[in-house]
Amino acid sequence: MTTTINRPGVAPMSAPPPDSLHIMFRCLGYLRPYWRLTAGSYLALLGVTGLALLVPQLVRATIDRGIDADNLRALHIS
């Protein structure tokens, strides 16, 4: 899909559709003055995601230890 731009006295020209990567880099360019804040936000996002992935592994380890050792107290089952 091309967009035609008409201007008086100028031959019409068609503008290519913007591609997603170009738009993303242009948006990231607006963050350049705030690069420290942006980098910190991404690091915090990665940290929180890592912790969210760690919780199921801890639950798995607790259940496995409780079942393997036949220790229902480890599972908090009375």
Side-chain angles (χ1 to χ4, degrees), residues 50-66 74-75:
L51 289 175
L53 292 173
L54 184 64
V55 170
Q57 297 301 318
L58 292 173
V59 171
R60 179 189 58 86
T62 303
I63 291 173
D64 287 347
R65 285 187 190 141
L75 299 175

Side-chain angles (χ1 to χ4, degrees), residues 31-47:
L31 294 175
R32 187 171 294 165
Y34 312 103
W35 71 269
R36 288 183 184 144
L37 183 62
T38 304
S41 298
Y42 276 111
L43 286 174
L45 178 70
L46 288 174

Side-chain angles (χ1 to χ4, degrees), residues 4 12 24 30 49 52 55 73:
T4 305
M24 181 139 148
Y30 292 125
T49 302
V55 170
R73 283 187 143 335

Side-chain angles (χ1 to χ4, degrees), residues 1-4 14-17:
M1 175 201 292
T2 58
T3 305
T4 305
S14 62

